Amino acid sequence: MTFIHKFTRRKNLLPLTGALMMFVASCAPKYNPTPAPDRLLPEIQTGAATFSASGGVVENFYLNFKSLGNVPIEEYGIVYAFLPDTTAVNLVIGSSYPTAKFKNAPRIGANTETFNISLPTGMHALSYRAYAKVVGGEVRYAPNRINKTY
């Protein structure tokens, strides 16, 4: 085979190689990432607590989930404080204020739990609000807080 013959054969392969590469590239799966869904956190409202008929005990706490969101809820309930009067305090979990953790799985709508918490002497007000802690540690609080004088 002469040099010219070899060169001509290789020259004919170039268009074929180019076409083959374009075909392979067009068959390869396209990278089209699906965007991660937005984190939707729960929406919660504080409901009215009930006191026992005989007095001296908080029987039930109520809260209402408007939305559960799409991030799993680890814990939810009521953070509360007994106070000498209805002074506003920063009710957050992990502080010096106790929590009433609900045991049942959260559901849209009304959620209630019985606690039977004794009212301490010398205190005349109860301030409380609902919270929901999601996976990752973020805490959502109800926009409303309830203050009751007893």
Side-chain angles (χ1 to χ4, degrees):
M1 220 183 258
T2 66
F3 174 75
I4 294 175
H5 190 251
K6 285 182 183 177
F7 181 79
T8 311
R9 280 183 70 170
R10 284 192 185 138
K11 192 175 180 185
N12 290 338
L13 285 177
L14 284 175
L16 180 62
T17 304
L20 183 60
M21 289 176 70
M22 289 177 67
F23 174 75
V24 169
S26 69
C27 292
K30 303 285 187 251
Y31 178 70
N32 187 10
T34 305
D38 290 337
R39 284 175 43 99
L40 299 174
L41 298 175
E43 293 179 44
I44 193 169
Q45 286 287 126
T46 307
T50 59
F51 292 83
S52 70
S54 60
V57 174
V58 177
E59 266 192 339
N60 296 301
F61 277 121
Y62 293 87
L63 55 85
N64 183 44
F65 277 103
K66 292 180 171 183
S67 163
L68 295 177
N70 63 2
V71 181
I73 297 171
E74 286 184 338
E75 170 187 317
Y76 74 103
I78 301 288
V79 58
Y80 63 94
F82 290 107
L83 305 163
D85 56 36
T86 55
T87 307
V89 292
N90 188 20
L91 293 170
V92 294
I93 65 170
S95 66
S96 61
Y97 301 114
T99 57
K101 297 177 187 175
F102 284 41
K103 294 175 192 75
N104 295 322
R107 64 179 186 276
I108 295 286
N111 291 257
T112 184
E113 189 93 23
T114 302
F115 289 98
N116 295 322
I117 300 168
S118 296
L119 306 178
T121 57
M123 300 295 174
H124 304 288
L126 170 64
S127 183
Y128 59 98
R129 72 173 168 171
Y131 74 92
K133 182 178 177 184
V134 298
V135 169
E138 191 170 348
V139 180
R140 294 292 290 214
Y141 293 97
N144 67 322
R145 142 196 339 253
I146 296 180
N147 296 313
K148 283 191 136 181
T149 305
Y150 56 91

